[in-house]
């Protein structure tokens, strides 16, 4: 029974087709040509790269380079042609010489169009275990400080070193005729970068330590307003006396109405200032009994507004604010 199973397995296995890498490479190469003719450059370049990996050939390399060039990957195309030239240079047959001439011509033309990026690492920025990565790819230390060809695009530069805070930036390079530089600074040690900033402690307010500034300011305002009220009241009474005297003198009858109007205005102003004084005094007492305020005089003054009122029949002050 075991021998029968073995024979069946052998018979089945004999029908399994083994793929030929050269045939697959040829199929990928032809697909690459068709895709490039159709303008599907990304897919075409991928097909040529797969073909080259399966069965390396100078003609495939030249087509791959041409595809990269059309796709505006000038630095990558230049690198492909340089590698093709390196492989063809030792060969002496006529076909290889023709392909070498094509690669050399492409290299010369592309070198005039290349964009370049310089990653500058000054001597003062060199530390142990320094790593510079461009879009996640490690940049060799031997490439520091050199203007090297690069395809157009935006690249993220990340710098890392043991015991130091990472540094990163982005740089945008045009597809051709551009030159950019990224200068790497000295990385900050983590002990400095992560050192907490001391925050001053705020004292908890106590009933005995709180300031009575607000209540004192309001109290002073009440006294000022009260004094003003008394002054306007006396001024008004004096004007009334003048009006009474004018009423008794026939030569001054024309001034009586004006004097009475002025006297009333002054008395109204005195009443308004007296009301304001009472309001300020009441607010001062409330604040004092509540334990005072931590606000400064400037803060209290900023929330209290005193404006003069001048009209045809009113003269006084408007007091507004919040506690």
């Amino acid at each position: 029974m075991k021998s029968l199973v073995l024979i069946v397995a052998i018979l089945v296995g004999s029908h399994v087709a083994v793929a030929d890498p050269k045939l697959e490479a040829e199929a990928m190469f032809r697909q690459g040509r068709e895709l490039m003719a159709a303008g599907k450059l990304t897919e075409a370049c991928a097909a040529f790269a797969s073909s080259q990996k399966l069965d390396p050939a100078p003609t495939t390399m030249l087509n791959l380079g041409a595809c990269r060039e059309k796709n505006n990957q000038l630095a990558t195309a230049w690198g492909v042609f340089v590698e093709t030239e390196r492989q063809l240079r030792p060969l002496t047959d006529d076909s290889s010489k023709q392909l070498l001439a094509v690669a050399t011509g492409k290299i010369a033309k592309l070198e005039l169009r290349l964009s370049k990026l310089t990653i500058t690492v000054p001597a003062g920025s060199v530390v142990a275990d320094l790593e510079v990565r461009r879009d996640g790819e490690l940049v060799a230390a031997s490439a520091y400080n050199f203007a090297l060809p690069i395809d157009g695009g935006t690249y993220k530069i990340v710098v890392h070193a043991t015991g130091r805070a990472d540094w990163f930036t982005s740089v945008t390079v045009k597809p051709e005729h551009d030159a950019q530089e990224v200068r790497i600074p000295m990385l900050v040690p983590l002990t400095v970068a992560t050192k907490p900033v001391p925050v001053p402690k705020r004292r908890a307010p106590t009933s005995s330590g709180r300031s009575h500034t607000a209540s004192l300011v309001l109290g002073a305002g009440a006294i000022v307003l009260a004094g003003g009220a008394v002054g306007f009241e006396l001024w008004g009474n004096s004007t009334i006396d003048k009006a009474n005297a004018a009423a008794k003198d026939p030569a001054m009858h024309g001034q009586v109405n004006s004097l009475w109007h002025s006297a009333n205005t002054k008395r109204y102003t005195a009443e308004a200032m007296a009301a304001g004084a009472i309001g300020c005094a009441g607010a001062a007492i409330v604040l004092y009994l509540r334990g005072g305020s931590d606000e400064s005089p400037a803060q209290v003054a900023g929330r209290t507004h005193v404006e003069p009122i001048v009209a045809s029949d009113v003269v006084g002050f408007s007091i507004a604010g919040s506690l």
Side-chain angles (χ1 to χ4, degrees), residues 27-280:
M28 296 299 296
F29 179 83
R30 293 185 180 185
Q31 287 185 26
R33 295 293 295 269
E34 293 174 0
L35 290 167
M36 188 162 63
K40 299 179 179 180
L41 298 177
T42 302
E43 296 87 344
C45 293
F48 285 131
S50 297
S51 177
Q52 178 66 16
K53 187 175 180 180
L54 290 168
D55 184 26
T59 52
T60 305
M61 290 280 282
L62 291 176
N63 278 273
L64 176 59
C67 184
R68 298 295 188 191
E69 180 182 1
K70 288 185 177 182
N71 203 33
N72 276 332
Q73 296 174 277
L74 302 187
T76 301
W78 175 82
V80 171
F81 290 128
V82 168
E83 177 61 21
T84 305
E85 181 193 37
R86 186 189 68 80
Q87 295 179 9
L88 290 172
R89 194 179 301 116
L91 305 179
T92 57
D93 59 282
D94 293 339
S95 177
S96 297
K97 289 181 179 180
Q98 292 177 358
L99 296 177
L100 178 61
V102 173
T104 303
K106 285 288 188 179
I107 292 170
K109 292 180 180 179
L110 284 174
E111 283 179 344
L112 301 176
R113 302 170 58 194
L114 292 177
S115 292
K116 296 182 179 181
L117 173 65
T118 305
I119 296 180
T120 302
V121 183
S125 299
V126 177
V127 295
D129 302 324
L130 183 69
E131 289 185 356
V132 180
R133 293 186 179 271
R134 184 186 63 224
D135 279 1
E137 181 180 352
L138 183 65
V139 179
S142 58
Y144 297 165
N145 307 318
F146 287 99
L148 300 179
I150 192 170
D151 293 333
T154 299
Y155 299 89
K156 184 175 182 179
I157 310 298
V158 178
V159 185
H160 173 78
T162 303
R164 296 177 181 267
D166 289 353
W167 180 88
F168 60 89
T169 187
S170 294
V171 58
T172 299
V173 183
K174 297 178 182 178
E176 57 183 296
H177 301 301
D178 193 14
Q180 297 291 333
E181 179 186 15
V182 174
R183 193 173 186 86
I184 308 302
M186 181 67 173
L187 298 185
V188 180
L190 285 175
T191 54
V192 175
T194 59
K195 185 177 180 179
V197 179
V199 179
K201 295 182 179 179
R202 184 176 180 179
R203 294 181 180 178
T206 60
S207 57
S208 60
R210 291 173 65 89
S211 171
H212 294 283
T213 302
S215 57
L216 292 176
V217 170
L218 289 172
I223 294 173
V224 172
L225 289 173
V230 172
F232 271 95
E233 181 67 23
L234 294 175
W235 191 10
N237 291 337
S238 175
T239 306
I240 290 175
D241 292 338
K242 291 180 181 179
N244 291 331
K248 297 178 181 179
D249 187 352
M252 299 180 65
H253 281 176
Q255 300 180 16
V256 173
N257 291 335
S258 176
L259 289 171
W260 275 108
H261 179 75
S262 177
N264 288 332
T265 299
K266 293 168 184 175
R267 294 181 69 181
Y268 293 151
T269 302
E271 291 175 1
M273 295 183 75
I278 294 172
C280 287

